[in-house]
Amino acid sequence: MAQLAEEYQRTLVTGGTGLVGSAIKDVLIDRLVNLANWRFLSSKDGDLSDPQAVDKIFSDFKPTRVIHLAAMVGGLFHNMANNLDFFRTNIAINDNVLRASYETGVKKVVSCLSTCIFPDVVQYPITETMIHQGEPHSSNFGYSYAKRMIDVQNRAIFEKYGFKYTSVIPCNVYGPNDNYHLQKSHVIPGLIHKFFLAKQKNEEAVVMGSGAPLRQFIFSKDLAKLFLWVLDNYDEVSPIILSVDEEHEVSIKTVAELIAKTLGIEQELVFDIDAADGQYKKTASNAKLRSLLPGFQFTPIEDGIKESVEWFMKNYDTARK
Ligand code: NAP
Ligand code: GDP
């Protein structure tokens, strides 16, 4: 399906005020893109789990393209405690946004899955074709099954209406404007906040779990650039993994040590081995991305963590926490 020229596009970004949405906005501002035809939604613009609110947003703005980021999002411990809410809220949001998109003739939707929705028992490295090949890890099955249904719905929409709605699969994301909540966040923002307080109070810096699990982490601005590339250039319904290379997978212990070093914490870290580790690893292959977009340079994790820590300290009063 031929794409409209950029000046005729009206692009709606759901979840536009979150970690990924605000990075996309920052990248567009860096590129001097006129944002008059872009709309970055927050939950204050309407609860996307409510179909009427979604219909109103679509009929007011009349998007031609949608980047769909809005979701109930959280780290391991928030997921473990709330599988039902993660499932129901995300099923509702995704169904409302995708349904409103095809009903109003939106030409392209790029939605967001995650490498944590893949089967728990899987052959590594994980590739795009494996999404539905087994049960997800028990810790986040609600979020995982809800996200997997986006891919099912995209395929069904293409079959019925011919729209090439697609999805991307990022690894663990971090950066400015993250959710730094002490219990609900992902590991990097959670540890930045926790270690920041530990340093202030001269207390132990505690890492949950053994520190052994392995993760790939992508800096939010890198993901934002890749999202915009997908929006303009990727023409498949089937999803694409947006992750750093496999050899840049790191242990939670390494990440914790990097955060501690960046904050100037010198004492030994304490590992709470009674806390959950979650899935041991989710090593994903970015071969498809590399074949379509060779040469993309990812931000080294040391630089990304430094920028995230500096952002958190500078914005401590207003940061989500
Ligand atoms: P985030 O920082 O928590 O932001 C979530 C965004 O969704 C916010 O703009 C929030 O609005 C909005 N939102 C949440 N519930 C809503 C509702 N019911 N109605 C309307 N808006 C709602 O999340 P993120 O980390 O940027 O995640 C973006 C996408 O990437 C999500 O689809 C997530 O599943 C996916 N993803 C994230 C990671 C990660 O490590 N963070 C990894 C892989 C995939 P308010 O700001 O007003 O609350
Ligand atoms: P995941 O990558 O989807 O599993 O989600 P997280 O970003 O929450 O990372 C979870 C991993 O980090 C697990 O191995 C946790 O045991 C470990 N971890 C260590 N400290 C923390 C913390 O303070 N918060 C979170 N969310 N995870 C932590």
Side-chain angles (χ1 to χ4, degrees):
M1 197 169 292
Q3 280 208 44
L4 284 173
E6 177 70 32
E7 63 266 33
Y8 300 113
Q9 300 284 7
R10 295 173 60 74
T11 311
L12 183 70
V13 183
T14 73
T17 50
L19 167 66
V20 182
S22 54
I24 290 177
K25 193 174 192 179
D26 287 347
V27 168
L28 291 168
I29 291 169
D30 286 350
R31 291 179 181 172
L32 305 176
V33 171
N34 178 355
L35 293 183
N37 286 336
W38 288 74
R39 177 121 191 250
F40 290 83
L41 293 179
S42 84
S43 60
K44 293 192 190 79
D45 296 302
D47 176 358
L48 300 178
S49 65
D50 169 4
Q52 284 166 354
V54 175
D55 286 342
K56 179 157 185 354
I57 287 166
F58 274 70
S59 79
D60 287 351
F61 185 66
K62 299 185 177 47
T64 58
R65 309 190 291 193
V66 175
I67 293 180
H68 174 39
L69 304 171
M72 182 174 178
V73 183
L76 171 66
F77 300 99
H78 193 33
N79 271 275
M80 281 171 65
N82 296 288
N83 269 297
L84 178 62
D85 295 341
F86 273 92
F87 180 75
R88 294 195 63 225
T89 305
N90 287 324
I91 283 280
I93 291 177
N94 298 335
D95 184 51
N96 290 335
V97 170
L98 290 172
R99 192 250 327 133
S101 296
Y102 70 70
E103 279 184 0
T104 60
V106 169
K107 297 286 183 294
K108 185 153 186 181
V109 181
V110 183
S111 300
C112 205
L113 313 183
S114 166
T115 55
C116 65
I117 71 164
F118 280 102
D120 183 26
V121 180
V122 73
Q123 252 192 324
Y124 294 105
I126 290 168
T127 64
E128 288 85 354
T129 58
M130 297 177 181
I131 297 182
H132 305 286
Q133 289 178 359
E135 291 270 327
H137 193 264
S138 58
S139 58
N140 67 348
F141 69 92
Y143 175 83
S144 300
Y145 277 118
K147 286 282 184 185
R148 287 181 186 192
M149 290 309 112
I150 290 180
D151 177 55
V152 171
Q153 208 155 343
N154 283 344
R155 279 161 28 198
I157 291 168
F158 180 64
E159 194 178 280
K160 186 157 184 184
Y161 298 106
F163 293 133
K164 279 191 181 166
Y165 296 176
T166 193
S167 55
V168 301
I169 312 178
C171 55
N172 200 314
V173 193
Y174 70 101
N177 296 295
D178 210 337
N179 173 13
Y180 288 85
H181 193 279
L182 289 168
Q183 281 86 37
K184 296 181 177 175
S185 64
H186 283 98
V187 57
I188 290 184
L191 289 183
I192 290 176
H193 189 181
K194 223 192 295 181
F195 288 6
F196 173 79
L197 295 178
K199 189 177 179 205
Q200 273 190 338
K201 298 178 189 165
N202 205 18
E203 289 174 356
E204 285 176 330
V206 181
V207 183
M208 307 293 265
S210 66
L214 302 173
R215 295 288 183 269
Q216 287 156 296
F217 292 98
I218 185 168
F219 190 49
S220 56
K221 277 188 198 157
D222 294 347
L223 179 60
K225 290 176 190 163
L226 293 174
F227 240 109
L228 292 168
W229 171 80
V230 167
L231 184 68
D232 287 330
N233 300 289
Y234 183 72
D235 196 33
E236 291 178 33
V237 174
S238 51
I240 180 165
I241 290 173
L242 302 182
S243 170
V244 299
D245 301 318
E246 287 157 61
E247 56 267 34
H248 289 131
E249 185 173 56
V250 289
S251 72
I252 298 298
K253 180 170 187 278
T254 301
V255 167
E257 286 170 351
L258 262 174
I259 294 170
K261 190 172 159 212
T262 310
L263 279 162
I265 292 176
E266 280 162 13
Q267 85 253 34
E268 287 278 300
L269 302 178
V270 175
F271 289 84
D272 177 359
I273 53 164
D274 292 330
D277 266 349
Q279 196 167 349
Y280 173 59
K281 64 177 188 172
K282 321 172 181 207
T283 322
S285 163
N286 64 7
K288 186 174 186 179
L289 172 69
R290 288 288 193 205
S291 73
L292 295 170
L293 184 68
F296 184 83
Q297 299 276 330
F298 289 95
T299 304
I301 192 162
E302 296 78 4
D303 298 351
I305 285 185
K306 185 164 178 288
E307 200 170 323
S308 307
V309 167
E310 283 169 359
W311 184 92
F312 178 69
M313 296 203 299
K314 196 168 154 209
N315 296 278
Y316 184 75
D317 290 338
T318 51
R320 268 187 299 164
K321 56 186 191 313

